[in-house]
Amino acid sequence: MNAAIRIIGLDPGLRRTGWGVIAIEGARLIHVAHGVIAPKDTLPFSERLLILFDQIAEVIALHAPHEAAVEETFMNTNAQSALKLGHARACCLIAPARAGLSVAEYAATVVKKAVVGTGAADKAQVGFMIRRLLPTAGDTTADAADALAVAIAHAHARRARSYAA
């Protein structure tokens, strides 16, 4: 039996960034930890980004994942909001890369399809399936459930790549 591989999934957001760590042992998915990073809205933009980056780095140091997966952003109609979300997403990409992790990116539809079976699933359906797939995670916020779903999508994708090899 191979050693467990830990994956951190990140669901970027400037107000709330969800994170979730799972382990995979063979075909088994194991919940490790999850949470949300929520810098205060009253802080200057640069400080909010620094908090986001530093706390992602802390989660990585604490849970020692081997790989990272980040949800891609959808196109927002408000250009200013999209730009700010891009900054938060950059923190989610750079923090694991700085820790030496490979970072994969997945579209929201791919994540939803991997967990629920349809790319059009809503947040309630994703949360429901996270409770079924990772029962020890308990109830999660939507942001943490999305992050765990990103990690699960990566686990499925890496399994598919290993079969193709």
Side-chain angles (χ1 to χ4, degrees), residues 7-8 50 67 77 93 103 108-109 113 120 132 142 150-151:
I7 300 168
I8 184 169
L50 181 60
E67 299 173 7
T77 55
L93 294 168
V103 182
T109 54
K113 187 167 185 160
R132 296 302 173 268
V150 172

Side-chain angles (χ1 to χ4, degrees), residues 42-130:
T42 57
L43 292 173
F45 184 63
S46 59
E47 288 183 37
R48 291 168 69 191
L49 291 173
L50 181 60
I51 288 168
L52 183 58
F53 180 87
D54 285 346
Q55 288 190 10
I56 293 168
E58 286 177 25
V59 169
I60 290 169
L62 181 63
H63 296 291
H66 301 96
E67 299 173 7
V70 178
E71 186 170 288
E72 293 176 347
T73 56
F74 58 91
M75 193 55 200
N76 195 320
T77 55
N78 181 329
Q80 188 68 21
S81 295
L83 185 59
K84 286 183 178 180
L85 180 57
H87 286 80
R89 190 167 177 279
C91 291
C92 291
L93 294 168
I94 295 169
R98 185 167 191 186
L101 305 180
S102 62
V103 182
E105 301 175 69
Y106 297 95
T109 54
V110 171
V111 171
K112 292 173 183 179
K113 187 167 185 160
V115 174
V116 179
T118 175
D122 62 27
K123 288 195 176 285
Q125 291 171 306
V126 171
F128 176 85
M129 286 307 298
I130 291 301

Side-chain angles (χ1 to χ4, degrees), residues 4-51:
I5 299 292
R6 284 188 179 209
I7 300 168
I8 184 169
L10 296 163
D11 179 36
L14 189 56
R15 287 195 172 107
R16 298 175 55 83
T17 290
W19 62 269
V21 180
I22 64 168
I24 51 174
E25 287 182 357
R28 226 173 99 205
L29 296 173
I30 303 159
H31 172 261
V32 175
H34 66 272
V36 174
I37 302 166
K40 292 182 181 175
D41 287 343
T42 57
L43 292 173
F45 184 63
S46 59
E47 288 183 37
R48 291 168 69 191
L49 291 173
L50 181 60
I51 288 168

